[in-house]
Amino acid sequence: MENAVTEPTLDRYDRTLLAALQHDGRLTNNELSERIGLSPSQCSRRRSRLESDGLITGYHAVIDRERAGFALVSIISVTLATHTEGNAERFARLVRAAPNILEAHALTGEMDYSIKVVTEDLNALSAFINGTLLAHEAVQNVKTAIVLNTLKDTTVLPLQSG
């Protein structure tokens, strides 16, 4: 394979460091040192390497969605009007430009995409569906499911189970 990407090998210290940072990205190298059993300077070097290798892609605050005013979560299945590369790219531009879309996944099967959308309320959801999705030339059909209760919502990878 000429263009194969070489994935970095993670040892148990890397996995433990990544797992700790997933739960608290503000840990200092001294705190990491205490948790994983390496010196602070070794933790610093490992963290820097994991960042430069692209395993750590950023740090962010986790915001309480409801307290920030986004009470409604919806999962919307989208079917494109045509299945051309240009139409898929037009839809991708729409997704990237819409701040209410938190996730978007291309699918196999009946629907082309599944998107996770947050809105303030039902009126805002209706406006988003009618004014943004259905008004877009790339979109043929949408099916919306409103989330009643979230059982699990995480971005934490199971690094220490492997």
Side-chain angles (χ1 to χ4, degrees), residues 150-154:
T150 299
L151 302 178
K152 185 174 184 179
D153 185 11
T154 185

Side-chain angles (χ1 to χ4, degrees), residues 72-79 91 94 98 100-101 111 115-147:
L72 197 63
V73 178
S74 302
I75 306 299
I76 303 175
S77 299
V78 178
T79 303
F91 182 71
L94 166 72
N100 289 64
I101 299 175
M111 303 308 271
I115 60 175
K116 178 180 175 182
V117 174
V118 294
T119 54
E120 295 86 350
D121 53 30
L122 281 173
N123 288 334
L125 175 62
S126 179
F128 177 77
I129 291 170
N130 292 309
T132 301
L133 290 179
L134 290 174
H136 195 274
E137 63 186 6
V139 176
Q140 177 183 9
N141 184 41
V142 300
K143 291 184 181 178
T144 304
I146 294 173
V147 174

Side-chain angles (χ1 to χ4, degrees), residues 48-66:
S48 294
R49 179 180 48 81
L50 293 166
E51 289 170 350
S52 66
D53 286 350
L55 276 134
I56 298 174
T57 59
Y59 299 90
H60 66 276
V62 178
I63 309 298
D64 184 302
R65 173 185 50 76
E66 289 186 51

Side-chain angles (χ1 to χ4, degrees), residues 17 28-34 37-47:
L17 186 143
T28 66
N29 291 321
N30 287 336
E31 292 166 328
L32 282 170
S33 172
E34 293 171 12
L38 293 174
S39 71
S41 61
Q42 288 174 312
C43 289
S44 176
R45 282 191 296 275
R46 282 177 183 267
R47 184 196 308 236

